[in-house]
């Protein structure tokens, strides 16, 4: 690989270069310069964000002009210890990463290798050694930082510091830790901040704090799987729990009963809503925190990953003036995200939207969101009855939990309201069975049901370490039974790398089962004939079971046979109609 010696570093006017090579016009450059002055961003990023030039075209041009290689970090096998030779703050500031040692110096990837000031700073920090440059994509280098600059060692160090503070002062009131003028410097506050930053960087959905016999377990759920860090200083557990209770507005003196609360934090400019649940366990109190990104980026129908034809049909149904839309699946399958994305697309000034939730997860402007409180009689049915007197156009019911809630929701859907809700069922076909079993009248279902969507989240093969996979005899036998003649040429599996924390998976994909009732299905519902409804659903021309959709992803190399089997196994009890 050819690299650029330090003497050849030079400033390039990227705008003029793009115009000279015909990638943008002079008029586009002037417009981009005007926008750049307003936004304060770099010109290259402004041009990309405005859609005037693709990032790939611009990087290829820079690579040729500077005679340096363009490195794809998604498949690059970097060494974390080498990357950490640059302090995180400096690496993030200059979008730079140490790729490898070479000839007594370093090969450094930069998103902007024309930044002379950044080059000089990097050379100083790296001990004056020769730096050879490579070009990297900005988004890729930022994702790599989140993988490499984890807070594991920092968390261990802060836990030890907190342990010493707790142990050395016998008269210390643990409930006062992290309060007062010096709160920001308190070890308990710094430890929690580090824990939250690490979780957000790793893309964790939940943080578990679990006291055990001789240790404290800190676990993060990433892509649906828990990753564990052991803290030997078990005595800090009470300090962490008390601090979190204070943040969530909970009763710090109550340790015998479960409690629920919430608070908001800001991590790297992102607003994160934290739902806190405490529970007394054998060795103290267990705390589980659900992290909800309030930035709104994920609350978009295009983000869900539905196949384009299915998404088009779903958008069409969302414009119905009335009826009920149901999203089903187990806990953690992404139902709430799907419903909020749908609600976000419907949130318009001319529409009155009311939600009935337990708890309110994402906070949306213009929408009247009601938190259920069963302790004072404010249950789903009671709130729903009151909501109907508030002149709504659209109602979201967090979950159809009982006959009364289901019947009120169905009647609202039949009388001119669009109702969105969830159910805990294994597949779309079984949803009608569940509602009929709950006592919902068949004629109401037939009159109001618009669509049922069942969904799961399956893990995606890591882009960095994914490789061709040859199916074994068991997989081949399973495939032959499920889909005879299916090609296994594109099967892939991740071998495990730094990018995916050794799991072979990175990120998740939504798998959907979409069922719009036909006239035959609606007639079966009206008559209460559950078996006839199932048979009609299976014959519907556009219906495809969840397991089929998961298998498509595996055969295309996006996920694995193991993940497809997991989805197939989950729906087998209800899916074997």
């Amino acid at each position: 690989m050819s690299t650029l010696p330090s003497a050849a570093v030079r400033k390039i006017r990227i705008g003029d270069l793009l115009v000279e090579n015909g990638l943008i016009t002079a008029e586009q450059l002037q417009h981009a310069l005007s926008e750049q002055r307003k936004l304060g961003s770099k010109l290259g990023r402004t041009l990309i964000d405005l859609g005037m030039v693709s990032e790939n075209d611009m990087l290829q041009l820079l690579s040729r002009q500077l005679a340096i290689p363009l490195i794809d970090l998604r498949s690059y096998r970097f060494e974390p210890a080498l990357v950490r030779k640059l302090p995180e703050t400096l690496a993030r500031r200059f979008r730079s990463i140490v790729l490898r040692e070479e000839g007594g110096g370093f090969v450094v990837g930069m998103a902007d290798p024309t930044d002379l000031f950044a080059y000089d700073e990097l050379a100083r920090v790296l001990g004056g050694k020769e730096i050879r440059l490579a070009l990297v994509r900005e988004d890729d280098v930022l994702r790599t930082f989140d993988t490499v600059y984890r807070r594991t060692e920092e968390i261990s160090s802060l836990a030890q510091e907190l342990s010493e503070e707790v142990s050395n002062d016998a008269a210390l009131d643990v409930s006062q830790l992290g309060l007062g003028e010096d709160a920001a410097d308190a070890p308990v506050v710094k430890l929690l901040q580090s824990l939250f930053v690490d979780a957000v960087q790793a893309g964790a959905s939940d943080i578990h704090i679990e006291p055990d016999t001789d240790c404290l377990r800190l676990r993060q759920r990433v892509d649906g799987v828990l990753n564990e860090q052991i803290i030997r200083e078990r005595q800090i557990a009470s300090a962490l729990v008390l601090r979190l209770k204070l943040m969530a507005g909970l009763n710090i003196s109550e340790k015998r009963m479960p409690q629920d609360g919430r608070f908001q934090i800001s991590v790297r400019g992102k607003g994160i809503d934290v739902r806190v649940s405490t529970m007394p366990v054998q060795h103290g109190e267990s705390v589980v925190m659900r992290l909800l990104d309030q930035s709104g980026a994920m609350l978009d129908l295009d983000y869900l990953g539905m196949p384009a034809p299915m998404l088009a049909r779903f958008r069409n149904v969302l414009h119905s003036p009335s009826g009920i839309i149901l999203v089903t699946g187990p806990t953690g399958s992404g139902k709430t995200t799907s419903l909020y994305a749908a609600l976000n697309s419907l949130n318009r000034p001319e529409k009155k939207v009311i939600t009935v939730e337990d708890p309110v997860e994402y906070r949306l402007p213009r929408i009247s969101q009601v938190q259920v409180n069963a302790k004072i009689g404010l249950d789903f049915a009671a709130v729903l009855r009151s909501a109907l007197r508030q002149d709504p156009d659209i109602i979201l019911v967090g979950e159809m939990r009982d006959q009364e809630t289901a019947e009120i929701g169905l009647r609202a859907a039949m009388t001119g309201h669009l109702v969105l809700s969830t159910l805990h069922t294994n597949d779309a076909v079984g949803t009608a069975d569940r509602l009929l079993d709950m006592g919902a009248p068949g004629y109401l279902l037939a009159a109001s049901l618009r669509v049922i969507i069942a969904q799961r989240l399956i893990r995606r093969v890591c882009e960095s370490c994914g490789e061709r996979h040859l199916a074994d005899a068991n997989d081949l036998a399973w495939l032959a039974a499920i889909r005879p003649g299916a090609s296994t040429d594109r099967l892939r599996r991740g071998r495990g790398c730094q990018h995916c924390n050794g799991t072979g998976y990175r990120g998740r994909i939504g798998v959907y089962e979409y069922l719009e009732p036909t006239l035959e299905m609606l007639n079966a519902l009206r008559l209460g004939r559950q078996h006839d409804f199932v048979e009609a659903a299976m014959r519907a021309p556009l219906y495809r079971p969840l397991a089929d959709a998961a298998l498509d992803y595996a055969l295309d190399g996006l996920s694995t046979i193991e993940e497809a089997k997991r989805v197939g196994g989950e729906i087998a009890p209800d899916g074997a109609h």
Side-chain angles (χ1 to χ4, degrees):
M1 180 187 76
S2 62
T3 50
L4 185 69
S6 57
V9 177
R10 62 190 188 276
K11 188 69 178 176
I12 285 180
R13 294 174 65 88
I14 185 65
D16 293 340
L17 187 62
L18 291 168
V19 172
E20 288 170 12
N21 284 268
L23 293 179
I24 62 172
T25 65
E27 291 75 17
Q28 286 178 314
L29 174 58
Q30 290 307 312
H31 176 61
L33 287 169
S34 175
E35 289 298 312
Q36 179 201 12
R37 285 190 287 271
K38 295 177 189 174
L39 300 172
S41 58
K42 292 197 172 185
L43 179 59
R45 175 50 54 186
T46 304
L47 287 163
I48 293 168
D49 291 343
L50 290 173
M52 293 180 178
V53 66
S54 74
E55 184 176 26
N56 189 59
D57 287 345
M58 187 171 72
L59 292 178
Q60 292 287 355
L61 177 60
L62 268 177
S63 175
R64 291 194 303 270
Q65 193 71 21
L66 294 171
I68 62 175
L70 173 60
I71 302 293
D72 186 353
L73 288 179
R74 292 172 299 179
S75 56
Y76 192 83
R77 302 282 288 182
F78 55 83
E79 298 178 35
L82 201 57
V83 174
R84 285 195 286 267
K85 284 186 176 292
L86 279 182
E88 183 183 3
T89 51
L90 196 68
R92 287 186 181 276
R93 179 183 174 190
F94 296 129
R95 305 295 196 258
S96 303
I97 180 171
V98 180
L99 297 173
R100 67 174 182 273
E101 289 186 274
E102 184 177 276
F106 297 101
V107 177
V108 177
M110 294 182 70
D112 181 9
T114 67
D115 189 334
L116 301 180
F117 175 75
Y119 180 87
D120 291 340
E121 277 294 293
L122 295 174
R124 182 185 63 79
V125 172
L126 292 173
K129 292 187 177 181
E130 182 184 23
I131 293 178
R132 297 176 180 272
L133 295 181
L135 190 59
V136 293
R137 288 177 177 82
E138 184 174 357
D139 289 345
D140 290 348
V141 78
L142 290 175
R143 279 195 293 268
T144 302
F145 291 156
D146 288 344
T147 303
V148 175
Y149 293 108
R150 295 293 301 275
R151 298 298 193 274
T152 306
E153 293 178 9
E154 183 179 302
I155 288 169
S156 295
S157 175
L158 288 168
Q160 189 173 359
E161 186 180 342
L162 177 58
S163 173
E164 292 170 359
E165 182 178 4
V166 172
S167 302
N168 293 340
D169 192 344
L172 182 68
D173 183 355
V174 176
S175 67
Q176 297 303 305
L177 282 173
L179 299 179
E181 294 180 0
D182 300 325
D185 295 323
V188 66
V189 173
K190 290 195 289 186
L191 176 54
L192 285 172
Q193 286 174 339
S194 186
L195 191 59
F196 285 125
V197 169
D198 189 58
V200 170
Q201 286 185 187
S205 60
D206 302 84
I207 301 173
H208 295 235
I209 299 176
E210 303 167 337
D212 210 332
T213 309
D214 55 358
C215 67
L216 178 65
R217 300 183 190 277
L218 302 178
R219 302 204 281 176
Q220 299 176 353
R221 189 175 296 280
V222 180
D223 293 338
V225 178
L226 285 170
N227 303 313
E228 183 174 84
Q229 179 179 356
I230 300 294
I231 300 296
R232 293 300 171 193
E233 294 79 11
R234 183 191 173 283
Q235 63 270 31
I236 70 171
S238 58
L240 287 177
V241 173
L242 276 169
R243 177 65 186 173
L244 289 168
K245 282 184 173 180
L246 287 168
M247 294 169 72
L250 303 180
N251 183 353
I252 63 172
S253 63
E254 179 57 77
K255 301 179 181 179
R256 300 168 301 170
M257 297 290 290
Q259 296 187 69
D260 297 308
R262 69 192 305 161
F263 59 87
Q264 285 192 312
I265 57 172
S266 179
V267 178
R268 298 201 179 283
K270 284 185 176 181
I272 306 294
D273 203 33
V274 183
R275 278 172 35 197
V276 181
S277 172
T278 70
M279 178 177 287
V281 293
Q282 187 175 6
H283 301 290
E285 287 181 277
S286 169
V287 178
V288 176
M289 294 176 282
R290 169 66 55 87
L291 308 181
L292 300 166
D293 185 353
Q294 296 293 326
S295 66
M298 64 193 310
L299 303 180
D300 189 295
L301 288 173
D302 293 323
Y303 174 88
L304 299 179
M306 280 186 182
M310 184 186 294
L311 182 57
R313 291 158 60 198
F314 186 38
R315 287 186 190 276
N316 188 51
V317 170
L318 285 174
H319 288 98
S320 303
S322 63
I324 189 164
I325 295 171
L326 295 171
V327 181
T328 77
T331 301
S333 60
K335 300 187 300 296
T336 301
T337 300
S338 294
L339 277 185
Y340 271 96
L343 208 58
N344 214 21
S345 72
L346 295 168
N347 187 7
R348 298 289 181 270
E350 64 271 16
K351 297 289 185 182
K352 170 78 170 184
V353 183
I354 299 177
T355 73
V356 187
E357 305 172 69
D358 184 21
V360 173
E361 296 203 12
Y362 296 98
R363 294 170 182 175
L364 300 176
R366 199 188 293 116
I367 292 179
S368 302
Q369 297 175 269
V370 183
Q371 167 77 53
V372 167
N373 187 348
K375 293 178 182 177
I376 60 172
L378 197 65
D379 57 18
F380 275 101
V383 177
L384 196 48
R385 278 192 294 269
S386 297
L388 290 172
R389 294 192 287 270
Q390 290 278 311
D391 188 30
D393 297 290
I394 300 163
I395 302 171
L396 182 145
V397 183
E399 185 184 347
M400 294 288 185
R401 293 188 176 180
D402 52 46
Q403 179 182 354
E404 186 179 14
T405 304
E407 193 163 335
I408 296 172
L410 289 169
R411 289 188 185 279
M414 197 174 66
T415 55
H417 305 87
L418 183 64
V419 179
L420 294 81
S421 190
T422 71
L423 270 176
H424 283 86
T425 58
N426 283 336
D427 59 2
V429 174
T431 301
D433 286 3
R434 177 66 55 83
L435 286 168
L436 291 171
D437 289 343
M438 283 168 58
Y443 72 91
L444 281 182
L445 263 176
S448 58
L449 187 60
R450 292 290 174 268
V451 68
I452 305 170
I453 299 174
Q455 66 181 74
R456 296 289 190 281
L457 294 173
I458 62 173
R459 291 183 292 172
R460 182 190 290 268
V461 172
C462 176
E463 291 182 4
S464 301
C465 63
E467 58 190 14
R468 172 82 187 280
H469 172 60
L470 297 176
D472 59 25
N474 288 333
D475 288 344
L476 290 173
W478 182 78
L479 275 173
I482 300 296
R483 191 175 295 181
S487 170
T488 60
D489 292 345
R490 300 173 67 183
L491 291 180
R492 294 172 72 240
R493 175 180 287 174
R495 64 180 177 273
C497 67
Q498 292 293 336
H499 291 276
C500 61
N501 201 26
T503 64
Y505 296 98
R506 192 176 187 196
R508 289 189 288 179
I509 319 169
V511 179
Y512 300 92
E513 178 179 304
Y514 189 93
L515 184 64
E516 276 189 59
T518 62
L519 182 59
E520 185 181 3
M521 283 186 260
L522 294 176
N523 285 334
L525 282 178
R526 187 168 58 254
L527 298 172
R529 294 176 179 172
Q530 298 179 21
H531 181 74
D532 289 351
F533 174 84
V534 172
E535 291 293 320
M538 294 298 185
R539 289 194 299 270
L542 296 177
Y543 171 73
R544 295 191 72 227
L546 268 171
D548 272 11
L551 184 54
D552 284 346
Y553 282 131
L555 293 175
D556 286 340
L558 294 173
S559 189
T560 62
I561 291 291
E562 287 77 13
E563 288 291 283
K565 282 181 176 178
R566 179 172 63 81
V567 171
E570 284 180 1
I571 66 172
D574 283 358
H577 294 291

